[in-house]
Amino acid sequence: MEKAHAYVEHWQEAYRNNTGLLLFGDVGTGKSFFAGCIANALLDRDVPVLMTNFPSILNRLTGVFAEDRATFIASLDDYSLLVIDDLGVERNTEYAMEQMFTVIDSRYRSKKPLIVTTNLKPEEIKNPPDLAHARIYDRMLERCAPVLFSGKNFREEGARATKAAAKEFVSKG
């Protein structure tokens, strides 16, 4: 987590220059953990940070009046750092895409850093399937430096350990 430490150590500069990160790679390679380490370290320094995902944001917006929706989205810009985890898992409805754009564009205009984690491939981000995705990804790519996470799936190792522990508990029964 040396790179997470480096981002935190250079936080003032990252904040001043609106430098975010786009953490991409396969499932289980540590992107969310890395983003969480940064978020926790900054929270320890009393920096306001929110780590969330678009399904959670969309759930909060469901059934909310337009005025309240705008207030909620604007409140996301109150955080010095916004972390959007697992970009790409949300449903691609017209409403969802519109709200995603509004959140990303609001953050872009606030000139505050954004960290995004995703399993999307760089080609998918650079060559989006439609204009709605292009508008979102273009803003992210301008402000978020891409960082590849590769290697083994850490969750598979955890699953093996869990299975072994459960087997031991059952055999003692």
Side-chain angles (χ1 to χ4, degrees):
M1 288 299 118
E2 202 172 299
K3 290 179 184 177
H5 181 72
Y7 187 83
V8 172
E9 287 306 309
H10 294 94
W11 169 248
Q12 292 301 324
E13 184 180 347
Y15 184 79
R16 208 172 27 258
N17 296 330
N18 183 16
T19 304
L21 301 171
L22 175 62
L23 312 177
F24 68 96
D26 291 334
V27 171
T29 53
K31 300 173 299 296
S32 298
F33 181 79
F34 182 92
C37 286
I38 291 172
N40 286 332
L42 290 174
L43 286 167
D44 285 346
R45 295 178 177 202
D46 295 324
V47 174
V49 177
L50 176 65
M51 186 167 178
T52 188
N53 58 42
F54 275 113
S56 294
I57 291 171
L58 292 170
N59 283 342
R60 287 281 308 270
L61 295 173
T62 300
V64 174
F65 293 111
E67 188 177 295
D68 294 332
R69 224 179 1 249
T71 301
F72 171 73
I73 290 171
S75 76
L76 299 176
D77 294 332
D78 292 340
Y79 295 93
S80 297
L81 177 65
L82 177 63
V83 179
I84 302 289
D85 194 30
D86 275 337
L87 179 78
V89 300
E90 61 285 329
R91 296 171 64 203
N92 284 333
T93 65
E94 190 175 321
Y95 174 78
M97 296 306 296
E98 180 183 316
Q99 298 314 312
M100 281 175 55
F101 174 78
T102 303
V103 169
I104 297 295
D105 186 60
S106 178
R107 191 69 189 181
Y108 179 84
R109 291 172 187 275
S110 77
K111 296 185 166 107
K112 290 182 179 175
L114 172 70
I115 293 178
V116 177
T117 72
T118 186
N119 297 125
L120 296 171
K121 308 278 184 249
E123 312 82 62
E124 294 173 281
I125 296 170
K126 291 179 183 167
N127 303 299
D130 52 43
L131 181 60
H133 284 90
R135 295 171 70 215
I136 293 165
Y137 297 167
D138 189 58
R139 282 162 176 76
M140 284 182 351
L141 288 172
E142 181 182 343
R143 303 306 333 156
C144 299
V147 179
L148 171 64
F149 280 71
S150 60
K152 62 185 177 223
N153 183 333
F154 294 107
R155 290 192 193 104
E156 286 177 0
E157 288 180 23
R160 277 193 289 279
T162 300
K163 186 176 176 182
K167 200 174 199 180
E168 190 174 316
F169 297 149
V170 172
S171 67
K172 289 180 180 179

